[in-house]
Every structure is written in C-alpha cells, then in structure tokens.
Amino acid sequence: MRTRDTGEDLWPAELFPPRLERTGRRLVSTLAARVGADGAVRAPCGSRVLESALAAALLERTGAAPRLLPSGADGSVGAAVRGFLRTRMAAGAVEGVEGALAAAVVEGRAITAADLFLGQVTDTAPDFTARRKRALVHAFAAAVDERFLSCWDEAAFDLSGLHSWAAVQVTASKVILARASGNTARISDEDVRLLLDTQGRAHLWESNILIHLSVLHALAGLPGTASTVAEGLRRVLGHQRSDGGFPFVTDTDTWCTATAGVALAASGGPRDVMERMAAHLVERQLPGGGWSYTDLSCQADVDDTSVAVQFLHTLDPGRYRVPVTRGIDSMVSVAAPDGGFPTYVAGAPSEACMTAAVVDALTVRPQAHTGRIRAGLTYLAARQRADGSFPPDWSSSRLHTVFRVLLAASRHGGEQPAEVHRMVRRSMRLVLARQNGDGGWGQREGEASDVISTAYGLIAVCGQDDPGPAIAASAFLIEAEHDGRVRGARSDSIGPRPFVFTVPALADIFTVLALGHLARRTTPAADISGRHLAGVR
C-alpha cells in the first residue's frame, strides 16, 4: 500500500483544488493525534445486526433458566439489544440473512430457507467457501429460530486446511445443526473439546465476538455446560455498545495501526508519532513472524503482515531489518504451488487480493524475491476476470483488490510477461470506466460514490498519465472532509465473508493514504518527506 516510486511525470499542483493541501494537513494532523501514547490506533468496531441478533436470542434462551443469567444482567440488557435491532430494521438498514435473523428475534417471524438468500451469500464469497457458508447461515438461523428446518451436509464440517478461527466456527455450526437436524450422534468429544477450549479465558478468544456467540449457542444445547455458557455470556455483555448492539470483533487495532502508519508515511506524518507506531507493531509481532488484526489475537494473516512489513521498511529499513525479515518469512511460509498466497495458513486456497498484498510487500526486497514476485503476478493475471475485476476478497468494494494489484505490478522492474501487462491495462480500464460524475467511485457499478472506494480509486489512477480522474477524485474527498475527518463513509470491511462490519477509523486512514499517493505524484518526494506539521506530536 506504500506509495509508488516517483517514476512518472509529475502533475502540476495548480491543476488541483486550492483546498487540497490544507485538507490533507488537517486529515494528517487528526489521524496522527489518534495515535495513543503506546503507539496504537485504537479503533473499536461498531455494532452489527448479525451478532446482535445472536446475542438477543442467547439472552432469551438462557433467561428461561435463572441459573444461567449473568450477574447483574436484567431485562434492560435484552431490551437494549432489541432496541438496536428495531432501530436498524425501521431504518431499512438490514436485509438478507441479517434481516431474517432480526425479524425472527424482534417479531418472532419464522425463518425459511428462502429468507436467507443463500445465493447472495455464496456469490459474494470465494467459491471454495460455498459449502461452509451455507452451513454457517443455516446455523445462524437455527440458533435464533428453533423452528428453522436446517439441512445436514457432512462435507461442510471438514476441518482440513482451516485456520483456527474457521475450525472453531465450523465446529460450532456443526454442533448447532446436529442438534437442529437430529444428528446429535455426529457430535464428537473432539468437537466439544475444541469449543470448550475457547472458553474460560481472561478475554474473548481471538477477540472475535461472532465466534464466541456461536460457540455459546452450540454449548447451550449440550449437557453439563450451564456454568460455561453463563460465564461466556457475562464476558460478551462487556462488549455491548452504547447503541445496544454488539460488534463482529472487539477492535482491529493492529490493522488500523499498520495501515495508518503507511498512510502517515505517505503523507509526511510526524516522525516521532510514526516511531511510536513502529515500536508498538514490533511488540505485537507474533512468534512466527506475522501479525494479526488486533492485540489479543494469535492467528497471523498475510494482510496485516504485508502492511506492517511495508510500514516498517518505509520508516527505517535498517533499524527494522529483523522484524521485516521475520514478517516476510512468515508470508513466504504459506506460499502455494500455484504462485499465489492464502490469507492464513499453508495449504488453503490462494486468493487474489492476498497475493497482491504479499507481492507488494516482497517488493521491498525485490532482488531476494524475484521469482516469487513474478509467480505472484502471473497468478493474479490468471485470476483476473474479463472486465478487469477479481474474485471476492475481504472488501465489499470491487476496487479493493484492483488498486492493490496495480500497486504490486507497478513495482516489478524489468520485462514483464504479456499477461501481466494485459492485467494492468484491464484493471486501469475498469477503474477509469467506473468513476462517477461526482469524481468518486461506488463499491459496485452503478452505486453512489463513497469515501473508501474513492480512496482506492484515487490510489489507482495515480499510476496513469491523465491527471483528470485524480483531480475529480480529490475534489470529492475534499468535500467529504470536515474538521480533519471524513463524513458519510460507507464501510467495506468484511468478516466473515460476505458480512460487512464497520470500523469508522478506516475511512480517515484510507483518505490520508490516497492523498499521500496523490502528493507523491504532484510534489517532489523530498518536499514531502521533509515537511513538518505544526502542532502535531
């Protein structure tokens, strides 16, 4: 995600809106001020209907047995989460699977298979996850509505090649559906042990509230688990938000810190702030060399690792040589024979967006990884669709993978295969063709412009010759800024796929990153790297 080397002709700064530099300074100052004394960008997630419906159903279920009620939990807790669901339903802000779950909890409406829109779920998630996604959605429905007629697909519960989160979520779904479909004989001691191992900790396992709630729903139907479920429920209630709802995960602090670091480095952020951020990231590096999305998670992924590596290398390649090397080794350890990279563990299917992320990171040391970079780009070219897009990733914006592919491909020096050149042309053509009349981009074709997709688009068009698209995009982002933050942002973060969750800080972070890319294209790099922002510490 770091900025490109300034190899193209620079665009005259006077072509761009007069407010551009002032807007950029305000955004950078505000983002830098969000960095805590420990060097972290603390970024809690907003409430989501999915977890809130599961929590409300669990509260109702355990409320039937007083011994399960957590200490201090009364009707106000359940009323608050139901209030959140009603508010979201009244606003028309919930549909599909989440809409069916909310209606079942709030209105007592029975869920049918047709209500779940399974086609939408499987079409917007990677193909290799289809069977698991169907089982997952059926498990959610069975958890909130005991009348739901679930199906049993034994193959959906295969744990081969799954990372730790997926293994637990799949097992929770299996136990829920085994009970709902009358297949309790299929629940093994190992299934129960795996679920119980996530409980009894000082914090929620892997900071993942959705998995925690899924596990509690699974255990609540088993004998001898009453105290475990009660304690788990007490713990999750500590994460209820002020609006009454519950989030997907507690936070994404490590991801936001790494991404904000790259953004501040691109935009001339204050050195002392970035050094605090780097020190924090070095402390958060896992024993295997990778990074996870938050402080209390132990499951590394190549996405967080790739951005942390780029930030540390950009800030000081000598000082952070060892953590960068360990991070690269962690990513390389999961490389697939097809040239691509999965998100989490070796042996899992490769994914386009994650491959682009790793290739981008490997280019910090191109001479040492020439073969892997070339293989990764070739993999990406083979996965590109005819319209220039790529298969679903961890974002609901189709430009997410596209801009990261364009960055990765722009850094590979020397002669590139014809298919890589074709991939770049297709990707850029898609970006240019999808720009809206207001200068921004929407998540999908025909959708209204949003801040994050526009940031992705601006980063992409900084790699071509015509300044016109960048001028229009910068004007859109300028209008979205108010007092150092952007307004009206639409979230694109996904987890589990294809369910969107909200991390408000990311809109500001990606806007700063995009304007940093633009500044590199309009101002000599030396002028930016030496810039000091008054009043920012």
Side-chain angles (χ1 to χ4, degrees):
M1 290 188 185
R2 69 197 190 281
T3 53
R4 303 170 178 87
D5 294 332
T6 311
E8 306 94 344
D9 293 334
L10 296 179
W11 293 328
E14 57 267 23
L15 294 176
F16 291 82
R19 293 164 50 198
L20 178 59
E21 184 173 358
R22 185 169 66 253
T23 297
R25 285 177 176 270
R26 278 200 298 264
L27 287 164
V28 170
S29 296
T30 302
L31 180 57
R34 293 188 67 152
V35 180
D38 64 349
V41 175
R42 298 298 176 189
C45 298
S47 298
R48 187 166 69 173
V49 168
L50 176 56
E51 289 74 17
S52 302
L54 289 171
L58 188 63
L59 282 166
E60 181 176 344
R61 183 177 182 182
T62 56
R67 69 183 184 281
L68 292 182
L69 281 174
S71 177
D74 54 25
S76 64
V77 174
V81 67
R82 284 173 171 272
F84 167 78
L85 293 173
R86 287 193 189 94
T87 299
R88 296 299 297 272
M89 292 172 69
V94 55
E95 57 186 15
V97 174
E98 292 185 286
L101 298 179
V105 170
V106 173
E107 301 172 354
R109 190 183 306 172
I111 300 176
T112 68
D115 296 328
L116 299 176
F117 298 96
L118 278 170
Q120 293 181 7
V121 174
T122 56
D123 288 348
T124 52
D127 294 342
F128 63 84
T129 67
R131 300 183 86 155
R132 295 205 307 271
K133 295 301 178 188
R134 281 193 289 270
L136 178 68
V137 170
H138 275 227
F140 291 156
V144 303
D145 181 9
E146 294 182 351
R147 300 162 294 180
F148 178 71
L149 298 176
S150 58
C151 62
W152 180 262
D153 179 6
E154 186 80 30
F157 311 121
D158 183 7
L159 303 185
S160 302
L162 297 186
H163 60 283
S164 61
W165 304 339
V168 172
Q169 183 68 74
V170 165
T171 302
S173 298
K174 175 185 176 181
V175 172
I176 292 169
L177 291 175
R179 187 176 65 252
S181 63
N183 284 282
T184 54
R186 305 302 299 159
I187 301 174
S188 69
D189 289 345
E190 179 60 22
D191 294 332
V192 178
R193 183 201 63 77
L194 183 63
L195 299 181
L196 288 173
D197 279 352
T198 67
Q199 302 303 299
R201 298 164 182 261
H203 53 81
L204 293 188
W205 184 75
E206 293 292 292
S207 295
N208 192 308
I209 291 170
L210 176 60
I211 293 179
H212 183 77
L213 287 167
S214 298
V215 169
L216 295 183
H217 272 285
L219 293 175
L222 302 177
T225 61
S227 60
T228 300
V229 172
E231 178 56 34
L233 189 49
R234 289 190 191 95
R235 191 173 295 113
V236 79
L237 291 180
H239 296 281
Q240 189 171 26
R241 300 309 195 218
S242 59
D243 60 9
F246 291 84
F248 163 46
V249 291
T250 61
D251 61 83
T252 59
D253 290 354
T254 304
W255 168 249
C256 286
T257 302
T259 310
V262 172
L264 289 172
S267 300
R271 182 80 187 189
D272 59 331
V273 171
M274 291 189 288
E275 287 179 349
R276 278 208 316 273
M277 299 169 80
H280 175 77
L281 288 173
V282 171
E283 290 179 357
R284 297 278 77 77
Q285 191 168 25
L286 296 169
W291 279 267
S292 189
Y293 75 101
T294 189
D295 295 3
L296 298 177
S297 173
C298 296
Q299 176 62 67
D301 63 85
V302 301
D303 204 5
D304 288 278
T305 303
S306 71
V307 180
V309 161
Q310 290 189 64
F311 171 52
L312 294 176
H313 176 86
T314 299
L315 191 60
D316 192 330
R319 180 177 181 181
Y320 299 111
R321 181 182 59 82
V322 172
V324 166
T325 298
R326 293 181 60 222
I328 290 175
D329 289 346
S330 171
M331 293 185 292
V332 169
S333 71
V334 303
D338 60 8
F341 290 81
T343 304
Y344 298 106
V345 294
S350 298
E351 300 188 50
C353 187
M354 296 300 93
T355 300
V358 175
V359 170
D360 206 20
L362 293 180
T363 59
V364 304
R365 295 178 182 172
Q367 301 304 318
H369 302 284
T370 301
R372 291 197 184 279
I373 292 169
R374 181 172 293 126
L377 292 174
T378 301
Y379 168 84
L380 289 170
R383 294 289 286 164
Q384 189 179 38
R385 295 167 171 172
D387 68 352
S389 66
F390 293 86
D393 62 20
W394 295 101
S395 165
S396 55
S397 176
R398 72 185 310 183
L399 293 187
H400 181 243
T401 297
V402 172
F403 98 82
R404 298 184 78 168
V405 167
L406 287 170
L407 284 179
S410 73
R411 307 190 204 280
H412 185 49
E415 193 65 29
Q416 294 190 12
E419 59 266 31
V420 174
H421 285 292
R422 183 172 62 250
M423 173 182 70
V424 170
R425 289 195 301 271
R426 281 178 171 176
S427 295
M428 191 63 74
R429 187 162 58 241
L430 179 144
V431 175
L432 294 173
R434 298 295 183 261
Q435 190 170 22
N436 292 330
D438 60 6
W441 284 265
Q443 292 190 359
R444 292 288 185 270
E445 183 178 1
E447 293 185 351
S449 300
D450 68 271
V451 169
I452 293 179
S453 295
T454 300
Y456 297 160
L458 177 53
I459 294 170
V461 300
C462 284
Q464 49 86 57
D465 295 331
D466 180 10
I471 294 170
S474 64
F476 178 89
L477 293 176
I478 287 170
E479 290 303 314
E481 184 267 339
H482 179 71
D483 289 339
R485 295 196 174 178
V486 293
R487 298 172 294 180
R490 180 186 179 191
S491 181
D492 74 313
S493 301
I494 289 179
R497 294 180 285 198
F499 299 103
V500 176
F501 67 99
T502 302
V503 184
L506 289 176
D508 296 319
I509 290 170
F510 277 106
T511 300
V512 171
L513 178 61
L515 294 181
H517 275 264
L518 179 58
R520 293 284 178 173
R521 190 70 200 269
T522 57
T523 307
D527 290 350
I528 293 177
S529 61
R531 183 182 296 165
H532 176 70
L533 297 175
V536 179
R537 293 290 183 267

